[in-house]
Amino acid sequence: MPQPKLKLDRSRHAAPQVFEHLRAQIVSLDFAPGAALSRVALAEAYGLSQTPIRDALIRLAEEGLVEIYPQHTTVVSRIDVAAARQAHFLRRSLELEIVHTLARRPDPALWSRLQAEIDLQRASHQAGQTQAFINADQAFHRAMHEAADVAGLWELGQRYSGHLDRLRRLHLPEAGKAERILDDHQRLLDAIVAQDAPRAQAVLREHLSGTLSQVAEICKRYPDYVLADYAPSDAEPPAARVSGA
């Protein structure tokens, strides 16, 4: 098991910090599906008692990111495609309304903020900094939630996004994927600036469908990482169905 590195903020409770840190490592695939997480080893690595470790693992289990076997071990769960589809449905529903709202409300400060995130994301990609690229991607979408006065819904969506985010992480290295994300973000911003709500929604719908439209191929490449017994969604062609990967 890789040794987690976290400098604890002593002004905050330990368990939420351990949860956030472990969750980030799971979503980034530093802890791959099937990896064992020893409570004893984690407590030693973090320099904590087992109680905050246990509490953090329980929260991860509630999000479906780990499976806890009492008196035995905890393992990182495989990626549940059905759960990823539900997270995608939630995110798409929210963000279609968000971009519609933003495209009807001129906000030069927001436009500058979104452009800055695109520029940062492009620079991160050119420098080969994958995590910085992902962070800027998240910041771009979070900024839209905040501008639409629904920041709390961003946090809600994050609680359901673990399986989808891991699928997206597997998909990101595909040739041209990062460039398509950048192009989509720029086209989305251009539509918002032009106050063209229908075009903004069309771009967003296309943007968010990318990973799920390729889920069959992802399942074939990573059969040990993915649970894929599901019915195809609107974002996937019928041929994309995979069972029992």
Side-chain angles (χ1 to χ4, degrees), residues 54-124:
R54 180 201 63 201
D55 293 346
L57 292 175
I58 289 172
R59 286 189 62 187
L60 289 168
E62 290 172 349
E63 291 195 10
L65 295 178
V66 303
E67 297 173 354
I68 298 174
Y69 299 94
Q71 309 305 320
H72 182 50
T73 190
T74 297
V75 298
V76 177
S77 68
R78 294 170 74 184
I79 300 169
D80 186 333
V81 173
R85 286 183 56 212
Q86 291 185 57
H88 172 264
F89 184 92
L90 175 62
R91 180 175 180 180
R92 182 179 62 184
S93 300
L94 289 173
E95 293 200 20
L96 283 172
E97 291 302 315
I98 286 170
V99 299
H100 184 271
T101 297
L102 298 181
R104 294 163 60 89
R105 191 166 68 193
D107 188 345
L110 171 66
W111 302 341
S112 296
R113 181 180 176 186
L114 293 178
Q115 186 63 61
E117 295 298 347
I118 294 171
D119 294 343
L120 176 59
Q121 195 173 18
R122 181 174 291 105
S124 299

Side-chain angles (χ1 to χ4, degrees), residues 64-203:
L65 295 178
V66 303
E67 297 173 354
I68 298 174
Y69 299 94
Q71 309 305 320
H72 182 50
T73 190
T74 297
V75 298
V76 177
S77 68
R78 294 170 74 184
I79 300 169
D80 186 333
V81 173
R85 286 183 56 212
Q86 291 185 57
H88 172 264
F89 184 92
L90 175 62
R91 180 175 180 180
R92 182 179 62 184
S93 300
L94 289 173
E95 293 200 20
L96 283 172
E97 291 302 315
I98 286 170
V99 299
H100 184 271
T101 297
L102 298 181
R104 294 163 60 89
R105 191 166 68 193
D107 188 345
L110 171 66
W111 302 341
S112 296
R113 181 180 176 186
L114 293 178
Q115 186 63 61
E117 295 298 347
I118 294 171
D119 294 343
L120 176 59
Q121 195 173 18
R122 181 174 291 105
S124 299
H125 175 54
Q126 292 171 348
Q129 298 173 338
T130 301
Q131 191 56 54
F133 178 90
I134 292 170
N135 292 344
D137 182 288
Q138 295 280 77
F140 179 89
H141 288 273
R142 183 169 191 159
M144 291 195 297
H145 282 69
E146 293 172 353
D149 300 319
V150 290
L153 295 181
W154 171 262
E155 302 300 335
L156 173 66
Q158 289 300 291
R159 291 202 292 271
Y160 291 93
S161 72
H163 293 285
L164 179 60
D165 287 344
R166 289 193 290 169
L167 270 183
R168 295 177 70 232
R169 188 63 181 248
L170 290 175
H171 191 208
L172 183 59
E174 176 195 291
K177 173 62 176 177
E179 288 81 2
R180 287 195 298 273
I181 291 172
L182 286 165
D183 181 60
D184 287 350
H185 282 181
Q186 191 65 63
R187 290 191 298 123
L188 179 57
L189 175 55
D190 291 346
I192 290 172
V193 171
Q195 296 184 259
D196 188 339
R199 179 157 61 97
Q201 288 184 312
V203 171

